[in-house]
């Protein structure tokens, strides 16, 4: 990786606004994003990602490769939380293990947007159906995480959630419903109908993303003390598991597509950790899960690792293997 590329990634506005949030907490500043505004921005990002994904998908001719790619993406989102949960539960509570496994099985829209910008810097262009696949990969991991918590939760055996109820609740969770619903609406809306809201879904996205990451930086900064109280395990997990997932998927993705950009995006999605849909879902569904653990892991460790080390590494793999 050359120095200019590293510098370009380190000066990414999304990362810098996140760092600003951390600094604000360290300096004991009163800087904060009002809760209602924070919730609105989260909903906006989910809506925008889903709608754009549906629009992009509607412009493409559906092929067997796209079909297999969608199945591959959903399978990744389901399998990653399955294996990571059993690693995590050796050191953490069932609730924390399930929430973290769901976060790392799901995807990060923030990392995805950064990956698209990275592709553009390499004179490569994104294929539209990958936006739809990213949106589809949000919910399977949440469902798997909640199912695993339900199965292994020993604290409330008399009130154990039934698996069908967990799945239904996961699918109707506001975050999941919004992104999948927006995907469908974007798919059925024609280009002329979508043009009217394009400035809202496209032009404003990165600005709202920066404010959202500032808020996430403040939230993570307040939780860092709890994060470090768990020892080195969460830190090591948040570095090694995403890099492992990304490298393995960079190789395995050749099974469903030979396109370099598609394989790169699959690697990035597998390596990323959700900080929109999963935290929103877990806050409501699993209040015993500690956001002071899974938020700093995803945001403070995994996100910077992916955009500085991960992306150049994944692109190198898909170009040469």
């Amino acid at each position: 990786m050359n120095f200019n590329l590293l510098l370009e990634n380190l000066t990414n506005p999304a990362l810098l606004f996140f760092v600003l949030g951390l600094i604000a907490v360290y300096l004991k500043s009163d800087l904060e994003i009002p809760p209602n505004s924070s919730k609105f921005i989260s909903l906006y990002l989910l809506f925008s990602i889903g709608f754009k994904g549906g629009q992009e998908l509607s412009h493409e001719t559906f092929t067997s490769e796209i079909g297999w790619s969608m199945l591959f993406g959903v399978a990744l989102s389901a399998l990653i939380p399955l294996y990571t949960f059993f690693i995590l539960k050796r050191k953490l509570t069932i609730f924390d293990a399930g929430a973290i496994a769901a976060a790392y099985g799901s995807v990060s829209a923030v990392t995805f947007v950064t990956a698209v910008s990275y592709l553009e810097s390499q004179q490569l262009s994104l294929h539209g159906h990958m936006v739809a696949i990213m949106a589809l990969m949000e919910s399977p991991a949440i469902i798997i995480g909640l199912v695993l918590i339900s199965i292994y939760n020993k604290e409330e055996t008399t009130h154990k959630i039934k698996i069908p109820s967990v799945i239904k609740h996961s699918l109707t969770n506001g975050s999941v419903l919004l992104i999948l619903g927006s995907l469908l609406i974007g798919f059925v809306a024609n280009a002329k109908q979508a043009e009217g809201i394009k400035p809202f879904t496209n032009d404003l996205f990165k600005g709202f993303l920066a404010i959202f990451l500032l808020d996430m930086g403040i939230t993570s900064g307040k939780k860092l003390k709890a994060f470090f109280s768990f020892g080195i395990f969460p830190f090591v997990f948040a570095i090694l598991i995403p890099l492992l997932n990304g490298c393995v998927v960079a190789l395995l993705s050749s099974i469903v597509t030979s396109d370099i950009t598609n394989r790169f995006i699959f690697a990035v999605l597998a390596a990323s950790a959700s900080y929109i849909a999963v935290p929103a879902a877990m806050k409501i569904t699993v209040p015993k899960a500690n956001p002071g653990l899974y938020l700093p892991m995803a945001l403070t460790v995994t996100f910077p690792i992916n955009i500085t080390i991960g992306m150049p590494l994944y692109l190198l793999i898909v170009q040469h293997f």
Side-chain angles (χ1 to χ4, degrees):
M1 179 177 17
N2 62 54
F3 178 75
N4 288 337
L5 182 58
L6 177 63
L7 184 64
E8 183 182 329
N9 285 345
L10 287 174
T11 54
N12 182 290
L15 176 62
L16 293 179
F17 272 102
F18 175 75
V19 172
L20 178 61
L22 293 174
I23 293 171
V25 174
Y26 178 77
L27 296 176
K28 296 185 167 71
S29 168
D30 60 355
L31 175 65
E32 65 175 358
I33 307 297
N36 286 342
S37 299
S38 177
K39 185 175 181 180
F40 166 75
I41 294 169
S42 299
L43 292 173
Y44 162 78
L45 293 174
L46 291 168
F47 151 74
S48 183
I49 292 162
F51 188 82
K52 285 190 290 184
Q55 277 284 291
E56 293 292 342
L57 187 60
S58 70
H59 297 151
E60 293 204 12
T61 303
F62 193 85
T63 63
S64 60
E65 181 179 314
I66 291 177
W68 283 113
S69 293
M70 286 182 165
L71 288 174
F72 183 70
V74 171
L76 286 177
S77 185
L79 290 173
I80 290 173
L82 271 177
Y83 95 85
T84 52
F85 175 80
F86 293 102
I87 296 172
L88 291 158
K89 82 180 187 74
R90 295 168 64 91
K91 296 283 187 180
L92 306 172
T93 69
I94 296 300
F95 304 106
D96 287 335
I100 295 168
Y104 280 82
S106 188
V107 294
S108 161
V110 178
T111 311
F112 180 82
V113 171
T114 310
V116 174
S117 298
Y118 178 73
L119 280 177
E120 290 171 355
S121 72
Q122 303 298 306
Q123 284 77 52
L124 296 168
S125 58
L126 178 77
H127 294 283
H129 67 273
M130 294 306 297
V131 185
I133 289 172
M134 186 273 294
L136 289 172
M137 286 175 68
E138 285 277 13
S139 55
I142 299 174
I143 295 167
I144 296 296
L146 293 176
V147 168
L148 288 169
I149 290 171
S150 178
I151 292 171
Y152 288 92
N153 177 19
K154 306 297 182 186
E155 292 184 17
E156 301 172 5
T157 51
T158 56
H159 301 289
K160 212 162 192 181
I161 305 169
K162 294 179 181 178
I163 302 300
S165 299
V166 171
I167 294 172
K168 182 183 177 183
H169 185 82
S170 302
L171 289 172
T172 56
N173 175 272
S175 301
V176 176
L177 189 63
L178 179 59
I179 198 163
L180 291 178
S182 298
L183 179 72
L184 180 61
I185 293 167
F187 180 74
V188 299
N190 63 44
K192 186 177 180 181
Q193 292 168 327
E195 194 67 31
I197 59 171
K198 190 174 180 180
F200 184 67
T201 55
N202 289 40
D203 300 345
L204 300 177
F205 185 85
K206 288 188 178 180
F208 275 118
L209 181 63
I211 298 172
F212 177 78
L213 271 185
L214 172 64
D215 186 39
M216 288 294 97
I218 295 169
T219 302
S220 295
K222 292 176 180 176
K223 306 290 185 182
L224 277 178
K225 189 178 289 186
F227 173 61
F228 288 122
S229 70
F230 288 91
I232 197 170
F233 173 74
F235 186 78
V236 172
F237 179 96
I239 293 175
L240 295 184
I241 293 299
L243 289 175
L244 173 66
N245 289 342
C247 291
V248 170
V249 171
L251 294 170
L252 289 180
S253 57
S254 62
I255 297 169
V256 294
T257 178
S258 59
D259 187 273
I260 288 174
T261 58
N262 290 345
R263 290 179 61 195
F264 170 76
I265 291 295
F266 269 127
V268 170
L269 291 175
S272 68
S274 171
Y275 9 109
I276 302 175
V278 171
M282 292 299 158
K283 185 177 181 180
I284 298 166
T285 318
V286 191
K288 290 187 178 181
N290 183 4
L293 194 54
Y294 58 78
L295 267 178
M297 284 175 71
L299 278 168
T300 313
V301 185
T302 299
F303 176 63
I305 287 292
N306 265 326
I307 68 171
T308 53
I309 299 172
M311 289 182 194
L313 179 61
Y314 311 145
L315 188 60
L316 186 70
I317 291 172
V318 299
Q319 285 177 330
H320 293 89
F321 295 96

